[in-house]
Amino acid sequence: MTHGNGSAAAEADMRWNGWGDPAKAKDLPLAVRTLLPLLLGRIRKPASAVDLDAVVLAASALDDADLAAFAQIVGTENVTTAHEARVRHSGGRSTPDLLRLRAEDQEAPDGVVRPASHDEVVACLRVSVERGVAVIPYGGGTSVVGALRPERGQHRAVVSLDLRRLSGLVRIDEVSDEAVIAAGTTGPDAEAQLAAHGYELGHYPQSFRYATIGGFAAARSSGQNSTGHGRFDTMVTGIRVATPTGDLELGRSPGSAAGPDLIRVFLGSEGVFGVITEVRVRVHPIPRDRVLESWTFPDFASGVDALRRVAQAGGGPTVIRLSDEAETAVSLAQVGRIGKALAKGASAVTVYEGEGIEHRRMRTSAALLAAGGTSAGEGASEKWLAGRFDGPYLRDSLLDAGVFCETLETATTWSNLATLRSAVDGALRDGLADAGARSYVMCHVSHIYPTGASLYFTVLASIRTEPSSVWSRVKARTNDAILAAGGTISHHHAVGRDHAPWLESEIGATGVRILRAIKRELDPTGILNPGALLPAERTH
Amino acid sequence: MTHGNGSAAAEADMRWNGWGDPAKAKDLPLAVRTLLPLLLGRIRKPASAVDLDAVVLAASALDDADLAAFAQIVGTENVTTAHEARVRHSGGRSTPDLLRLRAEDQEAPDGVVRPASHDEVVACLRVSVERGVAVIPYGGGTSVVGALRPERGQHRAVVSLDLRRLSGLVRIDEVSDEAVIAAGTTGPDAEAQLAAHGYELGHYPQSFRYATIGGFAAARSSGQNSTGHGRFDTMVTGIRVATPTGDLELGRSPGSAAGPDLIRVFLGSEGVFGVITEVRVRVHPIPRDRVLESWTFPDFASGVDALRRVAQAGGGPTVIRLSDEAETAVSLAQVGRIGKALAKGASAVTVYEGEGIEHRRMRTSAALLAAGGTSAGEGASEKWLAGRFDGPYLRDSLLDAGVFCETLETATTWSNLATLRSAVDGALRDGLADAGARSYVMCHVSHIYPTGASLYFTVLASIRTEPSSVWSRVKARTNDAILAAGGTISHHHAVGRDHAPWLESEIGATGVRILRAIKRELDPTGILNPGALLPAERTH
């Protein structure tokens, strides 16, 4: 089996202590700058972030023999303990991660190893077991749940296993609409290589520009087109995995009753059972047409009712997203209405692509109208589409300006959605108020199912001191509230280290025992991503 | 949580040594009797089956203390070692099972225990562990892969845990289109109780009239409406399981990234990890309209191409099934064309129910026409719909007449479908020919996906002597051929004991190790269904 070399990266290297292409970083728009004091009161500008060179790391715990062993597999040029590489692999892109990256003293992996094939991954795992080195699989580096934090567990060192050299379209079956993609391929690279054959995967999470196919699988990602194409789970038809004790090639047929679907053991395994090296996915011809339509609803509740009708009828839009009143107000403010009263009601975006657009739009529109919606033309939807991957740039600018900004998400059944939203909203507001911070909490629904939907929260707050520790307390309170109100600890951000203490509340003690039993079987010395998914203190 | 008492059974008790309601058993239709000698040559009538009273069983290995321990949980009236109950729980409904039931010496479980609630199941498992008694979970008794064979493993006795008293709709959420159904509820009972609320589950496998909701989940069933509503896996949103070492309640939200989806560990677990006691499922309003349309294609290959277009376009019919030339010929013969030349070409059935019928039909028809199909009116589809659960009655009559009849199934990608069909067809024909048997092999496609489809084979053969052992050899050769040609060992019949020796070829040694690790964790003494799913000799 040969891997393509991967096309040229579609994006520049990620800013080392923020999001995305450094050239695209920008100041806060005037509208936002005007709005923030109205929402949050006076904002205190924080100390500047340190320069990369000024970051202080502990010396690498890898010795010459470790480096030689890895180099023998991947070549000297693909093993490094260089300062910049270590810092760049020291975490993901949650707000706590970004705040850590602004400080002088930082933790980082002891080195970075870059295998280029499944066999090299297998060999790297063997060496890691032999030498007692923990391994953190690294894809696009976009985790927002602490999955990349350089925890070494009981091991004497920890390396970041950067998988981006496993890149490219391995093969495509144009009869079966299936493609095998190397796990380290980024979203844009995968789409570019599929597009050369006239195909699209159609998975567009906000992390799309940097995140990898293997990361989508390991973290159970869900993209903006999930209403049309389903979450990433549903796109996967096969998977190849390297574990410390054996390989797997799973997924012989599109439907099977040959025992439990073991692909599902690895979707969401977050690198603790093995390293995903290839993913087989359902693809579809690039859609020819796209239709956009924005909607407004009297309030969030009537919008939710509308989305429920659409989900339960099926055959609806490719994208549908509903912002609550708070998010609607700010979004409209940003597009130029600042100075007027903030907009009222709840706005929604719909996008239709692919087969039968007109029919799907007609049926969807009927459902939205019946629930009290009003069509609002293309404008807001076009704006959303143009900026849909840019949210994280805005967060960087807010952090620079001293505004704390973070997101979190959950999901539940339609009948429980209002209860869950209220519980999360209350935990966030009350938690921040108890810390003396003014806050502004927004919510949207962006992934719908016949039986329920996700809730995605964005929090802005003026936290005067120690934002990381304040947020840690607020987040814990919010997680407790989510589970008490019947929500899931994560709809699509995954568990990582940040949510691991709550996993047992979600799946029960017996569920955790199942995961630990699989972990013991596949990774008996516990080298893989210690402390992610399963709380560290009880892994062994 | 309370369970309903379950509505009156929609069907009479299953015939003890055959399929279904004994009152519905019937002689072979004239058309079939005329056709058989043409296909298979002279057929030798077999010895009559024994009467139930004449069956010889070993004495029950359960002692008074065992019976008292179970009776304390479920009541004396729900524990039995009676001859008839033991025979009735001695296997499923594969042709080898039916042939065994025609013989004098039979194997049966040592007793039957009938719990009525989740807590009673938990207590029965505790007693079974304490007393060293193996447990075979029993739903509708419709397994065709040996999942109910009374294997005791290393234990001193084995009981059948009949779950049909766990019956009824536990609760329904009419906002979220979700229902919780007790695992022992049969298909007709579930639909009757949902219908009282205006809802349908819409899962109609051929075993529908007897099989249970828990069985659908444990065996990863797929029903005739799978093109519209998906396989049973996709309907399940939650599950409650009793294991020997702890309970599970899984499925907090419609989508989640809280680690691997552990529901999928139990879908397809076939009672070896735990006993499923409740299943939460997506339901939908009972469809108001139904449209039927039959189609013919010049040959099976063009029909397959048509179904592929329909699957990849999406938004198609609720049911679509395509018979190959051999099946088409016999089906048409049965509906009255005998005496003429057998019909040519490949016939297909389509059924549309639910939302947007006209649009879906228009798009589907366009795809079928483009692939060379010709509309053939409603007739054949109506006939199929009327008799769709009756195939097993015909098999009983064939066995009585001395004709061996069995089915098997697999699935693969569209691009590999013809290769796989040819491999299976060849293994069946050649295997039977090598045993001196004339055979007639038919095939249909009844479950389609964007990336591939199932293949379902029906075999008729005149096997002169020892049909079970001849079939065992032919089936082994066919299983080898399926795996060598890239198919799955089962698309919807499951693994049971019959396919267990092939599981490692399907999921690999590491895959089997994962299943064994979960088994050891949840059922450390191995009381649950020994030898099913995982080959017995290596369970411990």
Side-chain angles (χ1 to χ4, degrees):
Chain A
M1 201 169 301
T2 57
H3 290 169
N5 290 321
S7 65
E11 292 290 313
D13 271 359
M14 177 111 65
R15 177 178 157 186
W16 76 274
N17 64 350
W19 182 264
D21 180 353
K24 291 190 189 167
K26 50 193 166 201
D27 290 336
L28 283 179
L30 175 63
V32 177
R33 272 185 287 146
T34 316
L35 192 61
L36 285 169
L38 298 176
L39 302 176
L40 302 175
R42 192 160 157 273
I43 291 150
R44 195 176 299 172
K45 187 136 181 149
S48 299
V50 295
D51 289 336
L52 200 155
D53 293 343
V55 168
V56 178
L57 298 181
S60 170
L62 293 172
D63 60 29
D64 289 348
D66 296 326
L67 298 174
F70 285 118
Q72 198 163 7
I73 301 162
V74 298
T76 321
E77 67 280 18
N78 290 306
V79 183
T80 181
T81 58
H83 180 80
E84 178 170 345
R86 289 178 65 201
V87 172
R88 281 185 173 278
H89 289 80
S90 67
R93 286 299 177 267
S94 67
T95 299
D97 281 337
L98 296 181
L99 293 173
R100 259 190 296 273
L101 285 169
R102 288 157 180 260
E104 196 171 277
D105 287 310
Q106 295 184 23
E107 279 187 290
D110 295 299
V112 179
V113 180
R114 304 178 199 266
S117 68
H118 175 88
D119 291 345
E120 288 188 9
V121 172
V122 170
C124 287
L125 294 182
R126 194 190 57 238
V127 161
S128 300
V129 169
E130 284 166 5
R131 307 195 64 82
V133 174
V135 172
I136 301 187
Y138 189 99
T142 61
S143 169
V144 290
V145 291
L148 302 171
R149 214 144 61 226
E151 191 168 333
R152 69 190 64 195
Q154 62 190 4
H155 305 284
R156 65 181 180 82
V158 55
V159 296
S160 178
L161 195 73
D162 188 320
L163 298 162
R164 284 173 292 186
R165 291 178 67 223
L166 279 80
S167 181
L169 187 60
V170 179
R171 58 181 175 274
I172 185 164
D173 175 347
E174 299 190 20
V175 174
S176 309
D177 282 4
E178 251 187 359
V180 177
I181 302 175
T185 315
T186 64
D189 284 349
E191 291 296 359
Q193 296 196 35
L194 289 169
H197 297 265
Y199 279 91
E200 180 196 51
L201 172 57
H203 182 68
Y204 299 110
Q206 197 172 52
S207 60
F208 168 76
R209 286 181 178 150
Y210 290 89
T212 60
I213 299 295
F216 296 151
R220 299 185 69 194
S221 176
S222 192
Q224 293 159 352
N225 291 10
S226 64
T227 303
H229 300 311
R231 48 192 292 130
F232 195 72
D233 285 3
T234 68
M235 301 180 187
V236 177
T237 59
I239 204 165
R240 189 176 189 198
V241 186
T243 85
T245 59
D247 287 6
L248 292 119
E249 288 232 34
L250 297 168
R252 288 181 73 86
S253 72
S256 175
D261 181 357
L262 293 181
I263 294 173
R264 305 305 185 117
V265 165
F266 292 94
L267 299 180
S269 64
E270 304 189 22
V272 307
F273 297 155
V275 177
I276 296 167
T277 59
E278 286 176 7
V279 185
R280 183 150 40 88
V281 286
R282 158 173 62 80
V283 294
H284 52 261
I286 295 172
R288 278 165 304 193
D289 304 312
R290 173 188 281 163
V291 173
L292 307 175
E293 187 169 10
S294 308
W295 290 79
T296 59
F297 294 89
D299 51 31
F300 189 59
S302 56
V304 166
D305 185 48
L307 266 60
R308 179 174 68 84
R309 292 172 191 227
V310 169
Q312 292 178 345
T318 308
V319 178
I320 191 164
R321 308 167 62 86
L322 171 74
S323 295
D324 73 355
E325 294 86 348
E327 192 171 283
T328 299
V330 172
S331 301
L332 290 180
Q334 281 187 48
V335 304
R337 297 217 193 162
I338 197 70
K340 298 187 192 174
L342 294 179
K344 290 215 169 58
S347 64
V349 164
T350 59
V351 181
Y352 303 83
E353 295 176 352
E355 304 259 355
I357 286 184
E358 274 316 309
H359 181 75
R360 288 157 51 206
R361 185 186 184 187
M362 190 187 71
R363 294 181 63 221
T364 303
S365 298
L368 300 181
L369 284 167
T374 308
S375 176
E378 295 190 345
S381 292
E382 269 173 358
K383 206 147 181 84
W384 169 80
L385 198 66
R388 62 180 168 156
F389 302 126
D390 292 340
Y393 287 110
L394 184 60
R395 179 178 55 164
D396 284 336
S397 308
L398 288 165
L399 293 176
D400 288 342
V403 175
F404 180 90
C405 173
E406 181 58 305
T407 64
L408 57 88
E409 38 76 63
T410 179
T412 190
T413 55
W414 291 110
S415 62
N416 193 47
L417 206 68
T419 301
L420 178 62
R421 177 183 174 232
S422 165
V424 176
D425 188 81
L428 288 168
R429 284 176 203 278
D430 295 349
L432 286 161
D434 288 356
R438 284 183 69 173
S439 66
Y440 189 73
V441 179
M442 301 168 270
C443 178
H444 67 245
V445 173
S446 45
H447 306 272
I448 61 172
Y449 305 86
T451 60
S454 68
L455 289 171
Y456 190 98
F457 295 87
T458 303
V459 187
L460 303 178
S462 56
I463 305 178
R464 304 260 150 187
T465 54
E466 304 265 2
S468 286
S469 71
V470 167
W471 178 247
S472 171
R473 290 196 302 277
V474 173
K475 182 74 196 276
R477 181 173 177 164
T478 308
N479 290 344
D480 290 342
I482 284 173
L483 288 160
T488 178
I489 193 64
S490 174
H491 172 268
H492 61 272
H493 282 172
V495 176
R497 289 173 180 81
D498 295 351
H499 292 150
W502 284 267
L503 185 65
E504 184 166 329
S505 296
E506 170 116 10
I507 64 173
T510 308
V512 171
R513 284 173 46 221
I514 293 171
L515 297 180
R516 289 194 191 283
I518 298 169
K519 170 83 171 166
R520 275 194 307 273
E521 179 68 30
L522 298 179
D523 178 27
T525 64
I527 58 161
L528 280 167
N529 218 356
L533 187 60
L534 298 164
E537 65 272 25
R538 295 165 62 189
T539 302
H540 302 290
Chain B
M1 201 169 300
T2 56
H3 290 167
N5 290 320
S7 65
E11 292 290 313
D13 272 358
M14 177 109 67
R15 177 178 157 186
W16 77 273
N17 63 352
W19 181 264
D21 180 353
K24 291 190 188 165
K26 49 193 165 201
D27 289 338
L28 283 179
L30 176 62
V32 177
R33 272 185 286 147
T34 315
L35 192 60
L36 285 169
L38 298 176
L39 303 177
L40 302 176
R42 194 162 158 272
I43 291 150
R44 195 176 298 170
K45 187 139 180 143
S48 299
V50 297
D51 289 336
L52 199 155
D53 293 345
V55 169
V56 177
L57 299 181
S60 170
L62 294 172
D63 60 27
D64 288 348
D66 296 326
L67 299 174
F70 286 118
Q72 199 163 9
I73 301 162
V74 299
T76 321
E77 68 280 18
N78 291 305
V79 183
T80 180
T81 58
H83 180 80
E84 178 171 345
R86 289 177 64 200
V87 172
R88 282 185 173 278
H89 290 79
S90 67
R93 287 298 177 268
S94 68
T95 298
D97 281 338
L98 296 179
L99 293 173
R100 258 191 295 275
L101 285 168
R102 288 157 180 263
E104 197 170 277
D105 287 309
Q106 294 184 25
E107 278 189 290
D110 295 298
V112 179
V113 180
R114 303 178 200 267
S117 68
H118 176 87
D119 291 345
E120 288 188 9
V121 171
V122 170
C124 286
L125 295 182
R126 193 188 61 237
V127 160
S128 300
V129 169
E130 285 166 4
R131 307 195 65 83
V133 174
V135 172
I136 300 187
Y138 189 99
T142 61
S143 169
V144 290
V145 289
L148 302 171
R149 213 142 63 225
E151 191 168 334
R152 69 190 64 194
Q154 61 189 6
H155 305 284
R156 64 181 180 81
V158 54
V159 296
S160 177
L161 195 73
D162 187 321
L163 298 162
R164 284 174 291 187
R165 290 178 68 224
L166 278 82
S167 181
L169 187 59
V170 178
R171 59 181 174 272
I172 185 164
D173 175 346
E174 299 189 20
V175 174
S176 309
D177 283 4
E178 250 187 0
V180 177
I181 303 175
T185 313
T186 64
D189 283 351
E191 290 296 0
Q193 295 195 35
L194 289 169
H197 297 265
Y199 278 92
E200 179 195 52
L201 172 57
H203 183 68
Y204 299 110
Q206 196 171 53
S207 61
F208 167 76
R209 286 180 178 152
Y210 289 90
T212 61
I213 298 295
F216 295 152
R220 300 185 68 194
S221 176
S222 193
Q224 293 158 351
N225 291 10
S226 64
T227 303
H229 300 311
R231 47 191 293 130
F232 195 72
D233 285 3
T234 68
M235 301 179 187
V236 176
T237 59
I239 203 165
R240 191 176 187 197
V241 185
T243 84
T245 58
D247 288 5
L248 292 118
E249 289 232 33
L250 297 168
R252 288 181 73 87
S253 72
S256 176
D261 182 357
L262 294 181
I263 294 173
R264 306 304 186 118
V265 165
F266 292 93
L267 299 180
S269 64
E270 305 189 21
V272 307
F273 296 155
V275 177
I276 296 167
T277 59
E278 287 176 7
V279 184
R280 182 149 42 89
V281 285
R282 159 172 63 79
V283 294
H284 52 260
I286 295 172
R288 278 163 306 193
D289 303 313
R290 173 188 281 163
V291 172
L292 306 176
E293 186 168 12
S294 309
W295 289 79
T296 59
F297 294 90
D299 50 31
F300 189 58
S302 56
V304 166
D305 185 48
L307 267 60
R308 180 174 69 84
R309 293 172 191 228
V310 169
Q312 293 178 345
T318 308
V319 178
I320 190 163
R321 307 168 63 86
L322 170 74
S323 295
D324 73 354
E325 295 85 348
E327 191 172 283
T328 299
V330 172
S331 300
L332 289 180
Q334 281 187 48
V335 304
R337 297 217 192 162
I338 196 71
K340 298 186 193 176
L342 293 180
K344 290 214 168 61
S347 63
V349 164
T350 59
V351 181
Y352 303 83
E353 296 176 352
E355 303 259 355
I357 286 183
E358 274 317 310
H359 181 75
R360 288 158 51 205
R361 186 186 184 187
M362 191 186 70
R363 295 181 62 221
T364 302
S365 298
L368 300 181
L369 284 168
T374 308
S375 176
E378 296 190 344
S381 292
E382 269 172 357
K383 203 141 184 87
W384 170 79
L385 199 66
R388 64 179 167 155
F389 302 126
D390 292 340
Y393 287 110
L394 182 61
R395 178 178 55 164
D396 284 337
S397 307
L398 288 165
L399 292 177
D400 289 341
V403 176
F404 180 90
C405 173
E406 182 58 306
T407 64
L408 57 87
E409 39 75 62
T410 179
T412 189
T413 54
W414 290 111
S415 61
N416 192 46
L417 206 69
T419 302
L420 178 61
R421 177 183 174 230
S422 165
V424 175
D425 188 81
L428 288 168
R429 285 176 202 279
D430 295 350
L432 285 160
D434 287 356
R438 284 183 68 174
S439 66
Y440 190 74
V441 179
M442 300 169 270
C443 179
H444 67 246
V445 173
S446 45
H447 306 271
I448 62 172
Y449 305 86
T451 60
S454 69
L455 289 171
Y456 190 98
F457 295 86
T458 304
V459 187
L460 303 178
S462 55
I463 305 178
R464 306 258 150 189
T465 53
E466 306 263 0
S468 286
S469 71
V470 167
W471 178 246
S472 170
R473 290 195 303 277
V474 173
K475 181 75 197 274
R477 181 172 177 164
T478 308
N479 290 344
D480 290 343
I482 284 173
L483 287 161
T488 177
I489 193 63
S490 173
H491 171 268
H492 61 271
H493 283 172
V495 177
R497 289 174 179 79
D498 294 351
H499 292 151
W502 283 268
L503 185 64
E504 185 166 328
S505 297
E506 171 116 8
I507 64 173
T510 308
V512 170
R513 284 173 46 220
I514 293 171
L515 297 180
R516 289 193 191 283
I518 299 169
K519 171 83 172 168
R520 274 195 308 273
E521 180 67 32
L522 299 180
D523 178 26
T525 65
I527 58 162
L528 281 168
N529 219 357
L533 187 58
L534 298 163
E537 65 272 24
R538 296 165 60 189
T539 302
H540 301 290

